């Protein structure tokens, strides 16, 4: 069980370029762009639809609408961190599993800072990451996160990552709130909407895994 967000359970995704390792289970993950990697990789499970015109790869245009701009109103949570040795490849580039951990950490910090009820009973349904320029070892990063859309029992969290050496990473993560007793999806209450609703600007999101 995790949060909007908190501590995740361990799953099977491996976004590193090194040896196989166990990584946080962040649901189906779409990697839109990784410079220097040639073809655009996509790690998509379950019933995610593939674009037939991209040789089986996920069409980046299909998820462009998820990466909305920072809002002019509502709650934005900011956090700085430096890229450490344990987060990079042998070539000094920030690994994708470290990016996912950064997303989880700032989500956890924001949820607990916000004062909402039930900040820890959330699970990730879907994650989209776009790496325009990867971060490098010892680069100082600023992460900005905000709620970018709402559903009956879920919310989308956008995170913008920018570095002082030019790193540009964007992510959109769909979190589903669970009843901590039954483990079933629980509807968002008025308190949550009051805190996170303004930054969503009336945007609604679906929890389906199919991209269209």
């Amino acid at each position: 069980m995790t949060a909007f967000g908190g501590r995740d359970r361990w799953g099977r995704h491996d976004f590193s370029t090194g040896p196989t390792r166990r990584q946080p289970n962040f649901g189906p993950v779409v990697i839109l762009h990784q410079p220097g990697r040639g073809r655009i990789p996509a790690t998509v499970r379950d019933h995610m639809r593939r674009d037939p015109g991209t040789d089986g790869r996920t069409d980046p245009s299909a998820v462009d609408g998820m990466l909305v701009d920072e809002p002019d109103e509502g709650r934005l949570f900011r956090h700085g961190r430096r890229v450490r040795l344990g987060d990079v490849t042998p070539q000094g580039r920030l690994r994708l599993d470290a990016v996912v951990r950064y997303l989880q950490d700032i989500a956890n910090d924001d949820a607990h800072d916000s004062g909402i009820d039930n900040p820890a009973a959330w699970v990730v349904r879907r994650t989209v990451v776009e790496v325009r320029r990867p971060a490098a070892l010892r680069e100082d990063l600023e992460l900005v996160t905000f709620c970018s859309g709402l559903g009956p029992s879920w919310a989308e969290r956008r995170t913008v990552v920018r570095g002082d050496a030019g790193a540009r990473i964007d992510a959109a993560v769909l979190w589903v709130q669970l009843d901590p007793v039954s483990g079933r999806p629980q509807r968002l209450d008025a308190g949550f909407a009051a805190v996170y609703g303004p930054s969503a600007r009336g945007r609604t999101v679906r929890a389906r895994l199919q991209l269209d």
Side-chain angles (χ1 to χ4, degrees):
M1 199 171 285
T2 177
F4 188 71
R7 182 175 299 173
D8 209 334
R9 65 185 182 275
W10 293 103
R12 294 179 296 172
H13 281 297
D14 180 8
F15 309 124
S16 71
T17 57
T20 301
R21 64 187 70 194
R22 295 175 69 81
Q23 303 298 347
N25 182 0
F26 251 51
V29 176
V30 180
I31 310 302
L32 293 185
H33 180 65
Q34 292 186 92
R37 290 294 190 90
R39 70 192 297 269
I40 301 173
T43 303
V44 186
R45 298 187 300 137
D46 302 319
H47 302 292
M48 303 287 275
R49 179 167 58 83
R50 302 298 183 91
D51 180 69
T54 56
D55 192 26
R57 293 170 286 160
T58 300
D59 180 8
S61 66
V63 288
D64 281 346
M66 296 181 183
L67 301 177
V68 301
D69 294 333
E70 292 182 28
D72 296 324
E73 59 180 327
R75 178 182 175 85
L76 283 82
F77 185 83
R78 301 178 184 273
H79 176 68
R81 68 186 302 164
R82 176 168 291 183
V83 179
R84 303 294 185 182
L85 184 63
D87 297 334
V88 299
T89 67
Q91 293 73 37
R93 184 169 64 180
L94 182 65
R95 300 193 315 270
L96 284 169
D97 66 291
V99 172
V100 170
R101 189 172 67 254
Y102 289 6
L103 300 180
Q104 180 171 270
D105 288 347
I106 192 173
N108 178 43
D109 292 344
D110 178 33
H112 286 275
D113 179 75
S114 71
I116 60 171
D117 294 333
N118 191 23
W122 295 72
V123 293
V124 169
R125 174 70 167 169
R126 179 182 65 226
T127 303
V128 172
V129 178
E130 182 178 54
V131 180
R132 287 296 178 184
R133 182 170 177 176
L137 178 62
R138 289 186 291 275
E139 184 169 0
D140 288 321
L141 305 178
E142 181 186 51
L143 293 83
V144 181
T145 190
F146 57 92
C147 178
S148 54
L150 298 172
S153 302
W154 52 84
E156 183 184 85
R157 177 183 288 281
R158 271 279 283 120
T159 303
V160 178
V161 183
R162 298 293 182 263
D164 64 353
R168 294 180 59 86
I169 302 169
D170 289 275
V173 181
L174 189 76
W175 298 81
V176 180
Q177 182 175 232
L178 301 181
D179 183 300
V181 177
S182 69
R184 298 179 62 83
Q186 175 177 286
R187 293 187 69 87
L188 304 181
D189 60 20
F192 183 93
V195 173
Y196 287 106
S199 64
R201 296 168 290 185
R203 181 171 175 264
T204 59
V205 291
R206 296 180 300 171
R208 294 175 59 188
L209 295 183
Q210 177 175 326
L211 295 178
D212 53 23

